[in-house]
Amino acid sequence: MNDHASHILNTDSIEQKWSDGEREIVRATYRVMVEHGYSNLSISKIADELGKTKASVYYHYDSKEELLVSFLDFVVDWFKNDIAEEISESPETALSNLVESLIPLELDDETFHGQVVLLELRSQTRRSEEFRERFTEINDLLVGIVRDIIERGVETGAFRDVEAPRVAEHIVATANGARIDRVTTDRPAAPAAVRVSLSSYIDSELRQHD
Amino acid sequence: MNDHASHILNTDSIEQKWSDGEREIVRATYRVMVEHGYSNLSISKIADELGKTKASVYYHYDSKEELLVSFLDFVVDWFKNDIAEEISESPETALSNLVESLIPLELDDETFHGQVVLLELRSQTRRSEEFRERFTEINDLLVGIVRDIIERGVETGAFRDVEAPRVAEHIVATANGARIDRVTTDRPAAPAAVRVSLSSYIDSELRQHD
DNA sequence: GTCTATAAGGTGATAGAC
DNA sequence: GTCTATCACCTTATAGAC
């Protein structure tokens, strides 16, 4: 699994259930957001990025709201495709790989801005139920992955018999907290500290030592 | 310590370094944000809430940006005053009290909306360095409190000899992750799960059992 | 300190031609 | 599908009277 928002919306990771026009618009939307932030997003800027006019955007989407929900659907899809990778390993390495990718030591600028954009969108939860549903799905997916890894480890005897659902919530909450801290503060040492402490927690609480 | 945004900006917890006019404006700003969200905040709405006109607001603040930074200064101040409470207890109870208040089981509506507003503002980190500084300060403060409790516990022998700075970052990241999950998703069981797992982590990793 | 009035510009969205 | 033109509205911010 890659960093949360890296290479987001790459064509090859997006399913075929959208038309070319919609796909182009959503990708342009993402580029505008990475450059200007969600709060400065406008249909005009999207149209400029596309090299077309506002009316052309409104041919594909009836409203800005609908476009944003569509954008979130792309994010969810990307997330599903991206997260499915490399969990065929042993539970121990799968979990530590996941932690490492959830809390990377460094972020390139585009990924960084992509994370901020997703946080901006996440904070718009009052906008509609549709928004809320998408972020609920993303968190459910991530927690589900972690829980499955832990349960698999418990079955194979690699992990102690912990309560997988709770521990999974704990790990995901920690990773998300670290990620948000990184992109909203100047505390450069924090992410690495969290990662070390979380890894040591996993090692001593979950791992079955012989 | 109370919930992050409960009773925020109560008059008695705010210092005297602002004029009455500014204080009134900032408190009106908060009320507008709780009702309409940060992204729908406007000078007009603040003026309406105050029962005055836009020009009156601009007499006190040269720009919306300046007003928002001033608002964040109030938040930081509130945070300082609020967080200083009840840490005179034993390290064990101080830490578990803190975790309980950082991850409350229930949130009333106003506190809930207040948390969303703070998340919206936090996501506006690209707006200016001033924004970023305030949230850096808030996180530093919180991590500092936790670290001090842990260090005190290590000194008194209540806790094992853990690396206080790292564990503090871990605990705060987890609490923040749980808080953001709560206000941006429909996953009602998640906060309690995180809280249980975090408490059990603290109990088994930190506590010196005899 | 607060008011009225206004400027200058961006926004989401639509009508109708091609 | 894309265009031009336009609408109604809201925004931040200022000038000047009281």
Side-chain angles (χ1 to χ4, degrees):
Chain A
M1 183 188 164
N2 294 324
D3 302 338
H4 264 182
S6 71
H7 309 109
I8 200 176
L9 307 185
N10 267 357
T11 7
D12 53 281
S13 71
I14 296 299
E15 300 177 17
Q16 309 292 62
K17 55 180 157 181
W18 288 279
S19 73
D20 286 359
E22 288 169 332
R23 195 160 31 236
E24 283 306 303
I25 291 172
V26 169
R27 298 185 77 229
T29 301
Y30 180 65
R31 291 196 301 273
V32 172
M33 279 177 160
V34 165
E35 189 177 352
H36 302 282
Y38 155 77
S39 57
N40 294 118
L41 179 73
S42 71
I43 306 291
S44 314
K45 290 200 184 95
I46 295 169
D48 288 351
E49 176 73 28
L50 276 169
K52 304 196 172 155
T53 63
K54 286 191 292 177
S56 192
V57 173
Y58 278 106
Y59 171 80
H60 293 280
Y61 290 100
D62 287 342
S63 70
K64 187 183 183 183
E65 188 69 18
E66 192 185 294
L67 198 168
L68 287 172
V69 171
S70 183
F71 173 82
L72 286 184
D73 282 333
F74 272 75
V75 173
V76 170
D77 256 31
W78 158 82
F79 201 80
K80 281 181 185 166
N81 292 334
D82 192 77
I83 210 176
E85 294 170 19
E86 66 179 86
I87 48 173
S88 51
E89 331 228 359
S90 76
E92 293 112 313
T93 58
L95 193 52
S96 74
N97 283 350
L98 191 56
V99 167
E100 277 173 30
S101 67
L102 287 175
I103 312 177
L105 294 182
E106 307 238 325
L107 282 193
D108 60 279
D109 280 9
E110 197 202 308
T111 307
F112 188 97
H113 288 143
Q115 304 257 4
V116 176
V117 164
L118 288 182
L119 183 61
E120 284 187 271
L121 285 164
R122 187 179 276 270
S123 76
Q124 298 306 306
T125 179
R126 300 177 82 180
R127 181 181 290 278
S128 73
E129 267 306 308
E130 312 226 80
F131 259 60
R132 205 176 180 77
E133 282 167 15
R134 269 62 175 186
F135 285 105
T136 299
E137 189 173 357
I138 289 174
N139 280 32
D140 275 340
L141 279 166
L142 189 50
V143 170
I145 297 283
V146 176
R147 195 197 51 228
D148 289 350
I149 294 176
I150 295 174
E151 283 175 350
R152 194 155 53 90
V154 170
E155 283 169 21
T156 66
F159 293 154
R160 288 179 38 243
D161 187 21
V162 296
E163 303 225 49
R166 280 181 187 163
V167 175
E169 291 286 357
H170 180 173
I171 291 173
V172 170
T174 307
N176 283 338
R179 188 155 40 93
I180 289 158
D181 186 298
R182 159 186 275 137
V183 298
T184 63
T185 70
D186 287 313
R187 308 178 64 252
V194 174
R195 184 164 140 173
V196 168
S197 182
L198 180 58
S199 297
S200 110
Y201 157 69
I202 290 172
D203 192 63
S204 65
E205 284 286 280
L206 268 66
R207 232 190 206 91
Q208 194 81 265
H209 290 105
D210 350 65
Chain B
M1 181 190 166
N2 295 323
D3 303 336
H4 263 181
S6 70
H7 310 109
I8 200 177
L9 306 186
N10 268 356
T11 7
D12 52 281
S13 71
I14 296 301
E15 298 177 18
Q16 310 292 61
K17 54 180 155 181
W18 288 280
S19 73
D20 286 359
E22 288 169 332
R23 195 161 30 236
E24 284 305 304
I25 291 172
V26 170
R27 298 186 75 231
T29 301
Y30 181 65
R31 291 195 301 272
V32 172
M33 280 177 159
V34 165
E35 189 177 352
H36 301 282
Y38 155 78
S39 56
N40 294 117
L41 180 73
S42 71
I43 306 291
S44 314
K45 290 200 184 96
I46 295 169
D48 289 350
E49 176 73 28
L50 276 169
K52 304 197 173 155
T53 64
K54 289 188 290 178
S56 192
V57 173
Y58 277 107
Y59 171 82
H60 293 279
Y61 290 100
D62 287 342
S63 69
K64 187 184 183 181
E65 187 70 19
E66 195 184 291
L67 198 168
L68 287 171
V69 171
S70 184
F71 173 82
L72 287 183
D73 281 334
F74 273 75
V75 173
V76 171
D77 256 32
W78 159 80
F79 201 80
K80 280 181 186 165
N81 292 334
D82 192 77
I83 210 176
E85 295 170 19
E86 66 179 85
I87 49 172
S88 50
E89 330 228 0
S90 75
E92 293 112 313
T93 59
L95 193 51
S96 72
N97 283 348
L98 191 56
V99 167
E100 278 173 29
S101 67
L102 287 175
I103 312 177
L105 294 183
E106 307 239 325
L107 281 193
D108 61 279
D109 280 9
E110 196 200 309
T111 306
F112 188 97
H113 289 143
Q115 304 257 3
V116 176
V117 164
L118 288 183
L119 183 61
E120 284 187 272
L121 285 164
R122 186 179 276 269
S123 76
Q124 297 307 305
T125 180
R126 300 177 84 179
R127 186 183 225 64
S128 73
E129 266 306 307
E130 312 225 80
F131 259 60
R132 205 176 180 77
E133 282 167 14
R134 269 62 176 186
F135 285 104
T136 299
E137 190 174 357
I138 289 174
N139 281 31
D140 275 340
L141 279 166
L142 189 49
V143 170
I145 297 282
V146 176
R147 194 197 53 228
D148 289 350
I149 293 177
I150 296 174
E151 283 175 349
R152 195 154 52 89
V154 170
E155 283 169 21
T156 65
F159 293 154
R160 289 178 39 241
D161 187 20
V162 296
E163 301 225 49
R166 280 181 186 164
V167 175
E169 292 285 358
H170 180 171
I171 292 173
V172 170
T174 307
N176 283 338
R179 187 154 42 91
I180 288 157
D181 187 296
R182 157 185 276 136
V183 299
T184 64
T185 70
D186 287 312
R187 308 179 66 251
V194 174
R195 184 162 138 176
V196 168
S197 182
L198 180 58
S199 297
S200 109
Y201 158 70
I202 288 172
D203 191 63
S204 65
E205 284 286 279
L206 268 66
R207 233 190 206 90
Q208 193 81 265
H209 289 105
D210 350 67

